Amino acid sequence: MPDLGWNDFDTLESYIANEQRKYPESRGIFADVVRRIGIASKVVAVKVQKAGLLDVLGSHGAHNVQGEEQQKLDVIANEIMKATFEWMPLVAGIATEEEEDYTVYPPKPENEGDRYIILFDPLDGSSNIDANVSVGTIFSIHRVEGGGYRTKLSDFLQPGKSQVAAGYVIYGSSTMFVFSTGFGVHGFTLDPEIGEYVLSHENIRVPDQCTCFSANEANYKKWDEPTQRFADHLRYGDDEIYEITTSRYIGSLVADFHRNLLHGGVFMYPADAQTGKGKLRLLYECAPMAMLMEQAGGMATTGRERIMDIVPTELHQRVPVAFGAVREMEMYEGMVAEADEQ
Ligand code: P6P
């Protein structure tokens, strides 16, 4: 057998197939959903890598449900992701950051079993695109009843702990597909020579050492007192654990989260103390990232409750969020609880 240089690696394809073989009763539908997200992300990666050349930078003129001016690549990535699932028997519906309403695909006769809904942010961090900062696609997969059942809004409003899979693709110095199906977090790096995602980071564990604090510190004055106290402790505290803790924040969730997942650290987008609201969306940003952080041994909290326990009340709901190792997250929750008792 000629040494092709890659045949001793697990590709995303072979990894999914191996995992599926562990469940003989599996119909392979779920595996196919993950596989197709991988394919869609390769198409998005090509567009992102060529963004500067294909004049797809700059705003599209339209605005998404968040009132944010849509960058052209946002719209292109959204269309690519939707096209991947449209009219497919395996997917009951999708919801995307770029659209007000969810989309339901009518059940197909051949589809008697459970089906899946996909919630995604097709290109998170897009305001950074023209500055060539890493951006990403974030996805969350839930299961819904199969057969003739008509998918409805409540099927999309499931808590993060019901996710069957979650992940992101980061379009950076390399393109990486990072996901979990509840059995750890695994990273696959796209090998452009063979066009395959190759297993590069098996069973990622978030380091205990908090090497960085990652938040938009321009908002410090908007944070409530325990949040300010927590941030001060990490940055200025005399606790020697945090002597090497530095600040890193690039304003692209996938890039900031990925760095902390691999190198350790706290990422937070706290609530504005006046409104009590956070900025990041629960269903297709915080919940999928929370699954990954927990699967990697960390925690994801609002400061008062586990992100994965929150039962959504609306599709584009925003929540305050902090991701990190258990020690820092428990410290933060303790400071918030102490302040709440006063
Ligand atoms: P700010 C990007 O628009 C985004 O949704 C996340 O990717 C990122 O973490 C956050 O907003 C940045 O927000 O207010 O710091 O610019």
Side-chain angles (χ1 to χ4, degrees), residues 68 97 121 124-128 216 219 249 251-254 256 267 269 279-281 285:
E68 295 163 348
E97 183 204 33
D121 184 350
D124 179 78
S126 54
S127 58
N128 295 290
N216 184 340
N219 296 331
Y249 186 77
S252 177
L253 172 61
V254 174
D256 282 318
F267 173 93
Y269 207 106
K279 171 178 183 181
L280 300 183
R281 275 65 58 152
E285 289 177 339

Side-chain angles (χ1 to χ4, degrees), residues 134-254:
S134 299
V135 292
T137 298
I138 309 171
F139 63 89
S140 169
I141 304 176
H142 286 276
R143 182 178 284 116
V144 290
E145 307 262 338
Y149 176 81
R150 289 291 299 175
T151 307
K152 54 190 183 302
L153 178 59
S154 58
D155 296 309
F156 290 87
L157 301 181
Q158 299 185 50
K161 60 190 170 188
S162 306
Q163 292 173 105
V164 290
Y168 60 83
V169 181
I170 180 167
Y171 310 105
S173 51
S174 62
T175 298
M176 263 190 81
F177 188 101
V178 180
F179 82 115
S180 175
T181 59
F183 301 95
V185 180
H186 310 290
F188 297 78
T189 301
L190 185 61
D191 180 337
E193 287 182 2
I194 61 173
E196 283 287 352
Y197 281 111
V198 175
L199 182 62
S200 53
H201 297 68
E202 186 164 19
N203 202 22
I204 298 171
R205 304 296 291 172
V206 62
D208 288 332
Q209 178 56 45
C210 179
T211 57
C212 92
F213 176 70
S214 186
N216 184 340
E217 298 182 41
N219 296 331
Y220 179 87
K221 288 182 179 170
K222 295 179 183 175
W223 300 344
D224 62 19
E225 187 274 335
T227 300
Q228 291 175 339
R229 193 146 45 85
F230 173 66
D232 293 346
H233 184 77
L234 297 190
R235 296 175 305 173
Y236 314 127
D238 53 7
D239 186 333
E240 63 180 16
I241 296 176
Y242 303 115
E243 277 176 5
I244 63 164
T245 302
T246 186
S247 275
R248 288 283 183 279
Y249 186 77
I250 197 161
S252 177
L253 172 61
V254 174

Side-chain angles (χ1 to χ4, degrees), residues 8-9 50 126 142 330:
D8 53 354
F9 283 110
K50 290 185 177 178
S126 54
H142 286 276
E330 288 184 341

Side-chain angles (χ1 to χ4, degrees), residues 90-147:
L90 43 81
V91 174
I94 58 114
T96 163
E97 183 204 33
E98 300 301 333
E99 297 176 5
E100 178 75 34
D101 291 325
Y102 58 92
T103 302
V104 169
Y105 301 139
K108 299 280 192 308
E110 72 272 20
N111 188 57
E112 287 313 312
D114 286 353
R115 298 203 291 164
Y116 297 94
I117 52 172
I118 326 285
L119 301 106
F120 57 86
D121 184 350
L123 207 60
D124 179 78
S126 54
S127 58
N128 295 290
I129 289 172
D130 55 357
N132 210 14
V133 168
S134 299
V135 292
T137 298
I138 309 171
F139 63 89
S140 169
I141 304 176
H142 286 276
R143 182 178 284 116
V144 290
E145 307 262 338

